[in-house]
Amino acid sequence: MAISRTPWVDNRRSGRASAPPRGASGVVFRQPSRAELCGSRATERRPWLRFALPLLIGLAVLAAWWSACAAGAFPAGTVPAPGEVAVAFVQELGSGRLVVHAVASLYRVAWGFVGAVLAAVPLGLVIGRSAMTRAALLPWINFFRSLSPIAWVPFAIVWFGLGDPPAIFIIFLATFFQIVLATAAAAAAVPRVYDRVALDLELTAREVLFQITFPAILPQLVTALRVAIGVAWMVVVAAEMIARESGLGYLILDARSGLRMDLVVVAMITIGAIGIGLDVLFARLARLDRVRWGFER
Amino acid sequence: MTPILELSGVGFDYPGVPVIDGLDLAVAAGELVVCVGPSGCGKSTLLALLGGHLAPTRGTIARRGQSRTIYQDGGLFPWLTVRENIARGLPRGTARAEADRKVADWLAITRLAEFAAAYPHQLSGGMRQRVELARALAAETDILLCDEPFSALDYQARARMRRELVATLADRPRTVVFVTHDIEEAVQLGDRVVVLGERPTRVQRILPLAMPRPRSPAAPGVPEAEQAILEEVGLP
């Protein structure tokens, strides 16, 4: 079957004429642009806008912030001027302290998050595929999911003392139940026709789980992980404010104690920037061939 | 000759809903049997019983051979490429070189070589059904079960796919049970057309068709057979 991979649009409707080929009937055709195929979105037509627009907003906020500080709009010591923040940022970066705090936070997030993924995905698969397990465990998963991870801080300190373990434990709890639920929902929605194909292929239960159910839920799982890493990053800052002596959360608490609001803003900017970086990283996972199909159908 | 598929007094109930009741049918090796019936009469359930995906509530089913099923849509694994989908259908333990050769053969037979690295969502409906056909036939099982495989396609693609199925089966004979609600399709394909009744379904009539294939809509015997089936389902 000869399938044309090049869609054509009738040029008469758009009124443009860009060296078009002529069809047998004399109707003039031209190839639609990528932007037209994507619904004429402005950012598709001008990709540089995706960088320029946020930059413009940032510059506008910076200008407003700088003007307000210069005009003395804030009581002394409540809002640092952009210049003070820039100086503090350079000092913290130069001394290496900012990197040490950021690495400490990322370390805890990595352990807590990876631990949660390793425990939650298999459990979610089982819950999604077994109605009995779902009936038994889902109410409890929902019960614990609705508890704020910060509510566990007293137990985390009592059980694990100070140091990395309580923060890792809090991050684990913050993401574990979310990932279980997302995995279970995705696994329960895997089309039943795949089970029948699996029967024809004589796959074992283990093969069905790893060769059918897991790849079938991968797109939804990647989306769930993207949300969960954002939550983990939010929670580590809160956990470090309470239970740690390093990390970006601790830096905020320590700077506030020393009335260094410029340092508080430095920590906030760093947290936000790393948050964006983590999100971009997980968004890139959606471009992998084994994942992308779920977003292109 | 012993039938390759034999159903005796088969019944199947979903909880509280009898779907099939007292169904008897024998299918000989190499035969192409088409089952037609109204929507919801249990055609797909019958195919699931024949494929061993469901167990009958009553009666017995003798299946003397392996089977593969082609579905209406969505039976392919969307995370695998065309090549990987066909390879996935090969019997367990097929050697790598043998698998590569078979996949290449089926890509050529179904004219999909150019799209070997494409994913199902990148193909047209007709091309996806050709991949399903290739995956099912590459396994070289004795029985092919078709669950309205062309009903999601447009008229032209459906007509083309019927011809392709007939041509492919002429070179590589299989026993086929083909379920459809399309009477024209049933008459163009079947060695026999089995007319199923309303739910709980049973065989209402079996119509043998001896016309040579491919059968055009106006070929001798085709309109008469269609008329006979229409009368059987109460639409004279």
Side-chain angles (χ1 to χ4, degrees):
Chain A
M1 195 186 303
I3 301 292
S4 167
R5 300 174 91 178
T6 311
W8 299 94
V9 293
D10 187 342
N11 196 44
R12 292 173 302 186
R13 282 164 61 187
S14 66
R16 298 186 195 178
S18 50
R22 235 167 232 286
S25 61
V27 176
V28 180
F29 293 104
R30 67 181 175 79
Q31 191 170 16
S33 68
R34 181 182 151 82
E36 283 168 319
L37 290 173
C38 294
S40 294
R41 284 155 52 183
T43 50
E44 292 286 349
R45 283 203 300 268
R46 292 181 283 272
W48 53 269
L49 279 178
R50 270 180 278 170
F51 301 99
L53 286 176
L55 196 67
L56 208 64
I57 300 277
L59 287 173
V61 170
L62 195 66
W65 177 19
W66 183 83
S67 308
C69 287
F74 306 113
T78 57
V79 178
E84 292 168 27
V85 172
V87 169
F89 193 87
V90 171
Q91 280 174 351
E92 288 299 304
L93 209 58
S95 69
R97 282 193 297 269
L98 193 59
V99 174
V100 168
H101 284 305
V103 168
S105 294
L106 283 168
Y107 172 81
R108 286 166 205 138
V109 165
W111 278 107
F113 182 74
V114 169
V117 171
L118 291 179
V121 172
L123 181 61
L125 283 172
V126 172
I127 290 176
R129 298 293 291 172
S130 154
M132 194 79 91
T133 317
R134 196 156 54 239
L137 293 183
L138 214 51
W140 292 108
I141 301 282
N142 273 318
F143 175 85
F144 285 107
R145 184 176 69 111
S146 47
L147 287 177
S148 165
I150 305 303
W152 288 92
V153 165
F155 283 112
I157 295 171
V158 169
W159 291 343
F160 299 105
L162 294 177
D164 291 329
I168 292 171
F169 174 67
I170 298 289
I171 290 154
F172 176 89
L173 286 177
T175 48
F176 173 78
F177 297 108
Q178 271 194 24
I179 300 171
V180 169
L181 269 186
T183 310
V190 171
R192 291 288 167 236
V193 67
Y194 297 159
D195 289 331
R196 293 190 171 180
V197 175
L199 276 171
D200 277 356
L201 299 178
E202 299 175 317
L203 300 185
T204 62
R206 185 188 164 83
E207 286 170 332
V208 169
L209 202 63
F210 288 105
Q211 295 178 22
I212 294 190
T213 310
F214 186 71
I217 68 161
L218 212 47
Q220 291 105 306
L221 184 61
V222 163
T223 304
L225 295 186
R226 190 176 166 189
V227 174
I229 193 73
V231 171
W233 188 239
M234 265 198 297
V235 168
V236 73
V237 172
E240 285 169 345
M241 283 186 176
I242 301 156
R244 276 300 309 159
E245 291 186 347
S246 69
L248 293 167
Y250 171 77
L251 176 62
I252 288 180
L253 196 73
D254 192 46
R256 190 214 56 157
S257 305
L259 295 177
R260 288 286 307 274
M261 302 313 275
D262 53 340
L263 271 185
V264 172
V265 177
V266 166
M268 288 168 72
I269 290 171
T270 310
I271 289 164
I274 292 175
I276 289 177
L278 289 173
D279 190 62
V280 167
L281 197 69
F282 276 77
R284 277 181 184 272
L285 287 179
R287 294 188 200 168
L288 299 173
D289 279 342
R290 288 290 189 257
V291 180
R292 202 170 55 188
W293 63 268
F295 303 103
E296 290 188 345
R297 286 197 296 176
Chain B
M1 197 167 72
T2 312
I4 195 165
L5 283 167
E6 197 169 11
L7 294 87
S8 309
V10 166
F12 183 83
D13 302 343
Y14 284 112
V17 184
V19 180
I20 294 172
D21 193 34
L23 195 145
D24 299 301
L25 182 68
V27 179
E31 200 179 10
L32 200 166
V33 170
V34 182
C35 300
V36 288
S39 282
C41 77
K43 298 189 294 288
S44 294
T45 305
L46 171 62
L47 222 55
L49 289 165
L50 290 173
H53 305 146
L54 293 173
T57 316
R58 295 172 294 282
T60 57
I61 297 174
R63 187 167 59 126
R64 301 177 179 94
Q66 295 283 88
S67 72
R68 288 288 158 90
T69 306
I70 304 177
Y71 297 92
Q72 190 184 112
D73 195 16
L76 294 175
F77 297 133
W79 56 90
L80 298 181
T81 63
V82 168
R83 176 183 282 113
E84 291 165 337
N85 261 293
I86 297 173
R88 196 70 201 78
L90 294 173
R92 195 183 282 275
T94 306
R96 180 67 189 267
E98 172 79 353
D100 288 347
R101 189 186 59 75
K102 282 190 174 174
V103 170
D105 284 352
W106 279 101
L107 283 169
I109 293 164
T110 48
R111 290 173 290 114
L112 287 163
E114 195 189 335
F115 298 94
Y119 286 84
H121 71 268
Q122 296 168 321
L123 305 177
S124 69
M127 291 161 89
R128 276 201 296 273
Q129 292 310 89
R130 294 215 306 266
V131 183
E132 282 244 26
L133 190 65
R135 182 175 73 175
L137 291 177
E140 295 177 356
T141 55
D142 314 282
I143 304 161
L144 180 67
L145 305 171
C146 304
D147 189 358
E148 304 203 34
F150 310 143
S151 64
L153 306 180
D154 63 67
Y155 184 85
Q156 285 185 36
R158 214 157 58 223
R160 193 172 293 127
M161 284 300 297
R162 279 178 212 149
R163 284 181 181 248
E164 290 192 10
L165 178 67
V166 167
T168 310
L169 291 173
D171 295 338
R172 301 157 194 84
R174 301 278 198 288
T175 306
V176 182
V177 178
F178 191 108
V179 151
T180 182
H181 62 267
D182 184 337
I183 290 169
E184 183 187 320
E185 186 165 80
V187 173
Q188 287 187 12
L189 289 177
D191 292 321
R192 285 190 296 157
V193 176
V194 176
V195 182
L196 300 170
E198 294 284 350
R199 200 173 59 206
T201 199
R202 62 176 62 197
V203 175
Q204 194 169 308
R205 185 179 170 189
I206 296 178
L207 195 74
L209 302 172
M211 301 87 85
R213 279 183 292 239
R215 298 166 183 157
S216 70
V222 169
E224 293 80 2
E226 285 179 11
Q227 188 58 36
I229 296 169
L230 281 169
E231 283 171 14
E232 196 60 46
V233 298
L235 294 167

